[in-house]
Amino acid sequence: MTPRNLFDLILLAALWGGSFLFMRYAAPSFGAVALIWLRVAIAAACLLPLLWWRGQSGLLRQNMGAMLVVGLLNSAVPFVLIAWAVLSITSGLASILNAVTPIFTALIGALWLNERLSKSQMLGLLIGFVGVLLLAADKADFKAGGSGWAIVALLGATLCYGIVTHYTRHKLAGSSLVTATGAQLAAAIVLLPLAYAFWPAVMPDVKAWLAVIGLGVGCTALAFALFFRLLAQVGASRAVTVTFLIPVFGCCGAACFWVKR
């Protein structure tokens, strides 16, 4: 990685680490589906004018099927799963479990794309898997009110990320801005009927709306533009290592949140 890639990686980790805190704060007011529709719709609204200004808006019509797949597996489905999960678990634990993404990415690369894993890589995957078990095993309570299904939902989100990272790398290797915009726009269109059906009966307060705006603008629009650029420049395996840094920012944000409360 170049110094620019490393800077992008750290900035991306900070943005996505903060996203867990924003979701933890806003999800109880909006609900998982409405919150995520707002997140991706705001992101698309931020990215579309920039795409038009660069003269790349016509590129959205190309690879529309692939854009839909990326929108579903990279935004709509995993975001809803995570937002639903943080209703039951802390944002710090959510950010830690999100670090399973490189494990799924490596396994999918080996099984789907026949990417060979070295002995050290296989050892690293094993250590990572054991670490997740140690962190989550005592919290996986599947009784009423327990956090077991929230943990399963988070792992499902990381599986989506592992699949779509390779898919994007092979199907959408063009402009990172076009990919980021198309994915968020596709996710917003898909989630619109569900957001209408599950819109909160009581209007959330100003602080919840500010959390949503931060989530959409910084943690989604800017973050995905950075991620897809990293994906194109350094590859899937290196790009997803951002999830190892996310818990640092996610746990710090969670600690500050609880201290203020």
Side-chain angles (χ1 to χ4, degrees):
M1 288 189 182
T2 65
R4 175 64 180 273
N5 294 146
L6 289 173
F7 175 81
D8 286 351
L9 193 75
I10 294 171
L11 177 58
L12 181 59
L15 291 169
W16 275 347
S19 72
F20 291 96
L21 179 60
F22 285 135
M23 284 190 286
R24 183 73 175 88
Y25 186 86
S29 299
F30 286 95
V33 177
L35 171 63
I36 297 309
W37 178 77
L38 285 168
R39 176 180 183 175
V40 296
I42 291 171
C46 291
L47 293 170
L48 278 169
L50 181 58
L51 197 69
W52 176 82
W53 180 70
R54 290 190 177 183
Q56 297 178 320
S57 56
L59 297 176
L60 284 178
R61 292 189 294 271
Q62 302 176 10
N63 301 313
M64 290 181 64
M67 291 285 189
L68 179 60
V69 173
V70 175
L72 284 170
L73 293 180
N74 202 68
S75 297
V77 175
F79 284 179
V80 170
L81 289 174
I82 293 171
W84 179 79
V86 296
L87 291 170
S88 304
I89 62 176
T90 66
S91 57
L93 177 59
S95 65
I96 291 171
L97 291 173
N98 189 65
V100 177
T101 299
I103 298 175
F104 281 128
T105 303
L107 289 176
I108 292 167
L111 297 174
W112 181 21
L113 302 174
N114 297 318
E115 295 180 356
R116 298 184 63 181
L117 297 174
S118 66
K119 292 182 179 179
S120 61
Q121 287 174 319
M122 289 188 286
L123 177 61
L125 291 177
L126 179 61
I127 293 172
F129 182 71
V130 172
V132 170
L133 284 180
L134 292 174
L135 285 169
D138 63 333
K139 300 176 179 64
D141 182 4
F142 290 93
K143 296 179 182 179
S147 59
W149 290 114
I151 292 173
V152 172
L154 268 164
L155 295 178
T158 61
L159 177 60
C160 290
Y161 289 145
I163 295 170
V164 78
T165 299
H166 288 292
Y167 182 87
T168 304
R169 174 71 171 169
H170 288 82
K171 296 291 185 179
L172 295 170
S175 167
S176 58
L177 180 60
V178 173
T179 303
T181 306
Q184 304 317 308
L185 184 60
I189 293 170
V190 169
L191 289 174
L192 179 58
L194 292 173
Y196 178 79
F198 291 98
W199 194 257
V202 179
M203 184 60 65
D205 61 21
V206 174
K207 290 182 179 179
W209 277 103
L210 290 175
V212 172
I213 293 170
L215 189 63
V217 176
C219 303
T220 311
L222 176 58
F224 273 109
L226 289 172
F227 176 70
F228 287 123
R229 183 169 69 185
L230 279 171
L231 193 61
Q233 292 179 353
V234 304
S237 297
R238 290 185 177 90
V240 297
T241 57
V242 67
T243 57
F244 290 133
L245 299 175
I246 288 173
V248 176
F249 296 96
C251 291
C252 288
C256 292
F257 174 73
W258 289 112
V259 167
K260 286 184 178 181
R261 292 191 67 181

